[in-house]
Structures are given as structure tokens and as C-alpha cells.
Amino acid sequence: MGVVALSLGCSRGVRPDSAVAGTKPVSGKVYSNEAGERVTLIGLEPGDSHKALVAFDNTKSELDGQVLVASVNSERGKTHYWTQWRGRSQRFVSVENRGGYEDLIFSDVNHTGYTHLKPDTGKTGALKVEKIFERYQDLEGDKKYQGMLVFDRKFWANQAEVQLAEALAETNKACGSKLTSTVAWDSITDAQINDISFGSYCVGALESLQKLCARSDEAKRAVQEKLQTVECRMDAQQALKLEARKVIWSVTERDTVQPDAATTFFTDNL
């Protein structure tokens, strides 16, 4: 895990039903950046539990003040911390060894951006790992905290809509158009929302239109004159269709129309 061992005080007893029952905090490291964002990693023993605690402070996200229990796995010089949040398994934190120094990569809940943090020697030296352990135990008994762990369809749908709106604004800017976008939410099950980053899937058609408009004024005129809305939906097969002035962008749980194919479709049909 790349964390340093620290001396422990006496931690209070852990509830039998706790996610950290049978473990104890033995190591910790604080990572920070110039913006004051801070992520603390607490190693838990026994080591074969592959568990850690991850604390978030001043990250300007809804994770601020939270401590999450993580499953830890390592591969090719990277250590990944997988946590549950709003019913989905999330990798908010990874630590990479970059030839002699560590780089902690933090991504927010919607994974639209990444922040880099470095080991903070001063804060690590002052760290009391048992305090983070107790902070997690307190949160486990908090109803609001528990509510943030269960699946939230409305939240993930809103996240997808935000991503789609951002891509739509960029497309309209690039094309000089007034396109609208929609998601056929009735075609998407809870399990599918839980399984994939649906917003990332839906922006593909809009990103292809942006690239076309960047190439020529002719493409801009075609988008302005022939398109009105873009609809994203789940279907049995990935597909791209044009009906009247509507683009229908169908994705599956494992596949979506690739960028080159989308560009070819629009070039041939607009």
C-alpha cells in the first residue's frame, strides 16, 4: 500500500456487524496538494483482508468529511482502492509509483476530472490512525451516511444528464446549432445504471458531431439544417439511426458505436 507504520493508541471496541470487524488500523499516510485537498489512507490488518480506510477532506466534493472502507488491489505499479458509494463500486483513489515518487490520483463521484496529490510528510507524521478508525465507526452508525451508500437511481441519472448537457453545449458551440438532447430512461434498468457509466456512453454521438463541425462549414450547415435532437437509449444492439431530425444513439451494456463508425454515419447521412 505504500503507507508507513505508526504507533497506536487504544481503539474502542468494534461492533460485530461493522465492515471493519476483525481488523485494526496499523499504518497510514496523508496525501495533499497545493489546493489543500487531502486524502488519507489507513491500512488495516490482517493483511489478507485486503482492506483499507480512505478519508476525504477539503476535496470540494460530496465525499468531504467521509471515511469509506475500501477493497485494495495492486497491479503493474498501481494500487487501487475500491469503495461503495450510492450503490456502486467506485474507484475514487489510485496510487501509482512513478519511478521513486508516489502519485495519488483522485477522481470525484462523476469521474469527469482527476486531481493529483503527493505524500504529505508533515501531516503523516501528525496522523493518529486510530482517530480515523473511530471516525469511520461513528459514520457507520449515522443514518445519513448509510443512505449515501445505497443505490440511488435519481442521483446517477442526474449525473448522466449533467455529462450529456455539457457535451451538448460543446456541440452547439462547435456547430452553431440549437440541438437538444434526451435520454430514454424507460429503456434503462437499475442494474444497467449500476453497472456502467451511462453518461460517458451517451456523449459519443455528440462528440462525433463536434469533430465533424470542427472540420468544415459544410458540416456545420448540415447539422444546423438536418438535426434537431439526439436521443440516447439502451437496446439489444448498439446502433446509430437518423429518423426525421432525430439522432437515435443506442448502446448496450458492453458496447457502443465506435467514433470512426459514428463519423462515417454522419458523413454519409447528413
Side-chain angles (χ1 to χ4, degrees):
M1 284 180 53
V3 291
V4 296
L6 299 175
S7 60
L8 295 177
C10 296
S11 294
R12 62 173 184 254
V14 180
R15 295 195 309 270
D17 61 344
S18 170
V20 294
T23 69
K24 63 179 180 179
V26 294
S27 57
K29 182 175 281 189
V30 181
Y31 298 79
S32 65
N33 59 18
E34 293 181 356
E37 296 175 291
R38 191 166 73 253
V39 173
T40 303
L41 302 180
I42 304 295
L44 300 176
E45 282 195 347
D48 59 9
S49 69
H50 302 290
K51 287 184 177 181
L53 294 179
V54 185
F56 303 88
D57 295 285
N58 203 35
T59 59
K60 303 175 182 66
S61 73
E62 70 170 9
L63 295 169
D64 276 346
Q66 307 296 353
V67 183
L68 303 180
V69 63
S71 296
V72 185
N73 75 286
S74 299
E75 59 178 0
R76 290 176 289 184
K78 289 184 179 180
T79 302
H80 305 296
Y81 296 80
W82 291 91
T83 58
Q84 285 291 320
W85 191 250
R86 293 189 181 272
R88 294 180 64 173
S89 180
Q90 300 283 295
R91 189 180 65 187
F92 298 128
V93 172
S94 293
V95 177
E96 183 173 359
N97 189 322
R98 296 184 180 272
Y101 74 94
E102 290 179 304
D103 179 24
L104 184 145
I105 305 164
F106 166 67
S107 58
D108 200 351
V109 174
N110 59 11
H111 297 297
T112 56
Y114 298 88
T115 302
H116 296 266
L117 299 91
K118 298 178 181 179
D120 190 316
T121 303
K123 287 185 172 59
T124 296
L127 179 64
K128 303 293 185 183
V129 294
E130 68 275 12
K131 296 297 184 184
I132 302 294
F133 195 70
E134 290 175 358
R135 182 170 145 194
Y136 173 74
Q137 292 176 71
D138 289 339
L139 286 168
E140 273 195 316
D142 183 86
K143 289 184 178 179
K144 182 178 180 181
Y145 176 83
Q146 290 299 325
M148 300 294 271
L149 301 182
V150 299
F151 179 69
D152 187 338
R153 179 184 175 95
K154 182 178 180 181
F155 174 84
W156 292 116
N158 286 342
Q159 292 294 308
E161 293 278 11
V162 168
Q163 283 184 267
L164 194 59
E166 291 173 350
L168 180 68
E170 290 297 319
T171 301
N172 281 330
K173 181 179 179 181
C175 298
S177 54
K178 296 182 180 179
L179 296 174
T180 59
S181 64
T182 184
V183 178
W185 288 113
D186 59 351
S187 71
I188 307 162
T189 66
D190 286 355
Q192 289 166 334
I193 292 178
N194 192 41
D195 189 50
I196 68 173
S197 178
F198 198 74
S200 299
Y201 275 46
C202 281
V203 300
L206 293 168
E207 290 174 343
S208 291
L209 290 173
Q210 289 175 36
K211 293 176 181 177
L212 279 175
C213 289
R215 293 180 184 177
S216 70
D217 289 338
E218 182 181 357
K220 291 181 181 179
R221 286 192 294 271
V223 172
Q224 293 167 12
E225 295 170 3
K226 298 181 180 181
L227 297 183
Q228 187 173 44
T229 189
V230 177
E231 178 187 281
C232 184
R233 60 168 46 247
M234 294 289 293
D235 215 330
Q237 293 183 322
Q238 52 87 5
L240 183 55
K241 301 176 183 177
L242 182 59
E243 295 182 358
R245 299 179 68 190
K246 176 193 283 190
V247 174
I248 300 176
W249 177 257
S250 298
V251 303
T252 71
E253 294 178 31
R254 294 288 178 264
D255 200 9
T256 184
V257 179
Q258 297 302 303
D260 289 345
T263 298
T264 298
F265 175 87
F266 287 127
T267 301
D268 293 344
N269 290 276
L270 290 182

